[in-house]
Amino acid sequence: MSNVIKVNTPITREMAKELKAGDIVSINGIVYAARDAAHKRMTELLENGERLPFDIEGQVIYYVGPCPAKPGEIIGSAGPTTSGRMDAYAPKLIEIGLTGMIGKGARNADVINAMIKYGAVYFGATGGAGALIAKSIVSEEIIAFPELGPEALRKLTVKDFPAIVIIDSSGKNLYEIGKAKYKI
Amino acid sequence: MREISAEKVTEAVEKLCIDSNYYLSSDLMKALKCAYENEESEIGKNVMKQIVDNAEIARAQSLPVCQDTGMAVVFIDIGQDVCIKGGGLTEAINEGVRRGYKKGYLRKSVVIDPLNRVNSGDNSPAIIHYNIVEGDSLKITVAPKGFGSENMSSVKMLKPSDGVEGVKKFVIETVESAGPNPCPPIIVGVGIGGTMEKAALLAKTALLRPVGERNSLDYISKLEEELLNSINKLGIGPAGLGGRITALAVNVEVFPTHIAGLPVAVNIGCHVTRHAEIVI
């Protein structure tokens, strides 16, 4: 495989702009786990003029709802969920500081335009590889909305988390490039 | 009449929920390894390696293959000479789901109301399909369905004049617009005929067929192969990152329909299309 680029979080706008579609990366540091319901709650907080449960400047959100941890384990299986369901919420979060998203699947034009405008990067992790990916999560803590169960907002520490840059801050999209290369 | 206790049903469903989420079937594992060998794209091959490694880790360590442990879809073939004692059959199945998802540390992914969206906390209720058959045995199949792929599924009421070409077009369009979302390489279940809900059920049932097994009707078997070839020319590839292998199988089921209709349903299954069964 091509060289693996080590990405440490948090990611500045400038660092986000250096990553290019197709770059294979390993992510290290804090990422925040949030999916549908947590995004809805965060958006409601912002609409009410309240603060988010964490400082979003330069942070990375991982779209995941993990399985419960077995006794002695840090976390259960924890692969990415389909990112497109968070498209309604992502542009606002990018505007106020979010620089990275990890998930799987297509993003809409609003998200990509926000990524270009503010400088953010969209990473893909392999969907359905939840048992494998869980090995790269070294700590887990629920920091808000515990009543949402698997959808609670979590702070995760990741080590050598395997991902690939799908969409970069220029709007270049590996899904489109890859598909065009192999379409017959 | 043969008596089967409700508790026995509950215990069976509990085990099937756990087993189906931890252990992929041998036919699917073989297909995934084959896809790893055959994928031409370097990135795609790397994805296939992760997918195979993941399934092996899950098996070895008894972990869910995917964190989306699904909504529990349960197929029941109940012999007409069977009598369930000591409780209702539906409740026995739902209790099995509750116990299995708790004991197996599986994710609880069900909301009680589709609009109010409060998590039921125990992954119940199951989606149960009952089929009454001859005999005195009870067959239970548990097929947990993740929604990354379920959300990419579709039903369309075609006109008879659309014919097989219309069917092919709809299947290909559905897979192409799904793109990377349903976790390719996928298994494509297709139901043709019946009524709207029958077509959907046929498509769902088609996902239970072992990977590599063709429909026994010759012309449908040929349609399956043709669709598989067309889908694998789309270029979507493993995880949608580009490649030759977008689908592992296309399974088509057909049923008689009305003179005015040609219902078609496409139910997409991800690369961890899971199911486990038992006959009591």
Side-chain angles (χ1 to χ4, degrees):
Chain A
M1 285 306 293
S2 318
N3 287 337
V4 178
I5 300 170
K6 201 163 179 171
V7 173
N8 295 312
T9 65
I11 302 174
T12 63
R13 301 276 188 207
E14 291 66 35
M15 283 160 64
K17 285 176 189 166
E18 281 172 23
L19 292 164
K20 300 295 169 204
D23 284 351
I24 294 164
V25 300
S26 82
I27 302 171
N28 292 271
I30 304 287
V31 302
Y32 292 89
R35 48 172 293 152
D36 308 60
H39 273 80
K40 187 162 185 280
R41 293 282 187 92
M42 288 195 289
T43 301
E44 285 165 359
L45 288 175
L46 292 172
E47 283 168 359
N48 294 333
E50 294 173 52
R51 288 161 63 98
L52 292 182
F54 65 101
D55 179 3
I56 200 166
E57 184 61 41
Q59 297 301 336
V60 175
I61 290 182
Y62 178 25
Y63 301 135
V64 60
C67 282
K70 282 188 164 183
E73 300 280 344
I74 292 160
I75 198 166
S77 291
T81 193
T82 310
S83 310
R85 294 194 317 275
M86 270 54 76
D87 283 357
Y89 312 109
K92 180 69 191 170
L93 298 179
I94 293 168
E95 185 189 331
I96 63 169
L98 183 72
T99 51
M101 298 158 284
I102 311 171
K104 58 137 175 141
R107 307 310 303 264
N108 72 12
D110 291 344
V111 177
I112 296 171
N113 289 337
M115 290 169 60
I116 296 169
K117 184 172 177 186
Y118 299 103
V121 60
Y122 173 47
F123 301 102
T126 299
L132 178 81
I133 291 171
K135 304 294 171 201
S136 61
I137 299 172
V138 296
S139 79
E140 185 229 16
E141 180 195 352
I142 292 178
I143 59 165
F145 322 133
E147 65 280 8
L148 297 178
E151 296 200 81
L153 181 61
R154 291 168 162 84
K155 185 179 182 178
L156 307 177
T157 310
V158 299
K159 189 172 182 300
D160 300 329
F161 183 102
I164 187 162
V165 177
I166 302 280
I167 305 173
D168 64 28
S169 62
S170 72
K172 238 174 119 184
N173 188 333
L174 180 61
Y175 287 140
E176 290 166 6
I177 299 164
K179 186 182 167 195
K181 194 169 162 189
Y182 289 94
K183 191 174 171 74
I184 299 171
Chain B
M1 281 305 246
R2 179 178 166 223
E3 292 184 359
I4 296 175
S5 76
E7 179 58 25
K8 193 162 186 176
V9 172
T10 296
E11 286 167 8
V13 170
E14 173 190 320
K15 185 174 187 313
L16 293 172
C17 287
I18 296 172
D19 287 356
S20 59
N21 271 298
Y22 288 180
Y23 315 118
L24 288 188
S25 58
S26 57
D27 55 295
L28 182 54
M29 274 310 290
K30 196 176 146 198
L32 292 172
K33 285 178 181 168
C34 192
Y36 167 67
E37 294 296 330
N38 294 335
E39 179 54 59
E40 289 173 25
S41 145
E42 190 190 357
I43 294 174
K45 208 175 177 69
N46 188 42
V47 167
M48 286 315 306
K49 182 170 185 336
Q50 288 186 350
I51 288 171
V52 170
D53 287 351
N54 178 69
E56 285 172 350
I57 289 170
R59 173 172 291 277
Q61 300 181 20
S62 292
L63 291 170
V65 178
C66 176
Q67 78 291 334
D68 186 352
T69 49
M71 197 162 188
V73 179
V74 180
F75 294 89
I76 299 288
D77 288 339
I78 183 165
Q80 60 192 15
D81 299 329
V82 171
C83 178
I84 304 294
K85 287 284 183 186
L89 179 54
T90 300
E91 175 49 28
I93 294 165
N94 280 321
E95 180 59 19
V97 169
R98 287 183 206 110
R99 287 190 204 169
Y101 275 71
K102 186 167 193 289
K103 194 175 162 190
Y105 294 87
L106 307 178
R107 196 180 76 184
K108 287 73 179 174
S109 310
V110 174
V111 291
I112 299 165
D113 182 284
L115 298 175
N116 297 334
R117 308 200 72 83
V118 175
N119 198 301
S120 73
D122 58 16
N123 220 57
S124 73
I127 304 294
I128 309 171
H129 302 292
Y130 291 106
N131 188 26
I132 298 169
V133 297
E134 286 185 13
D136 64 357
S137 63
L138 176 68
K139 182 178 171 189
I140 307 172
T141 304
V142 174
K145 190 66 169 75
F147 263 53
S149 54
E150 193 72 357
N151 281 338
M152 296 296 112
S153 303
S154 193
V155 181
K156 193 168 184 183
M157 306 304 281
L158 298 181
K159 298 184 192 75
S161 61
D162 292 325
V164 71
E165 290 307 316
V167 170
K168 287 184 213 165
K169 186 165 173 275
F170 176 59
V171 174
I172 303 291
E173 277 173 5
T174 303
V175 171
E176 183 152 34
S177 69
N181 291 16
C183 294
I186 56 176
I187 295 172
V188 185
V190 181
I192 309 173
T195 49
M196 190 262 283
E197 84 286 3
K198 180 68 181 180
L201 188 54
L202 288 170
K204 178 76 74 200
T205 312
L207 294 179
L208 301 177
R209 200 196 295 167
V211 180
E213 199 175 294
R214 297 264 66 94
N215 191 299
S216 57
L217 298 167
D218 192 44
Y219 77 106
I220 297 298
S221 171
K222 288 200 171 90
L223 175 63
E224 290 173 343
E225 276 173 39
E226 192 185 333
L227 283 168
L228 182 60
N229 285 333
S230 301
I231 288 168
N232 284 335
K233 285 178 183 168
L234 292 173
I236 296 167
L241 301 177
R244 298 279 174 233
I245 299 163
T246 300
L248 301 170
V250 179
N251 299 339
V252 180
E253 298 294 340
V254 292
F255 196 81
T257 189
H258 190 277
I259 48 174
L262 178 51
V264 185
V266 179
N267 194 202
I268 298 184
C270 59
H271 64 74
V272 299
T273 294
R274 299 152 288 192
H275 45 91
E277 61 181 53
I278 190 173
V279 177
I280 298 174

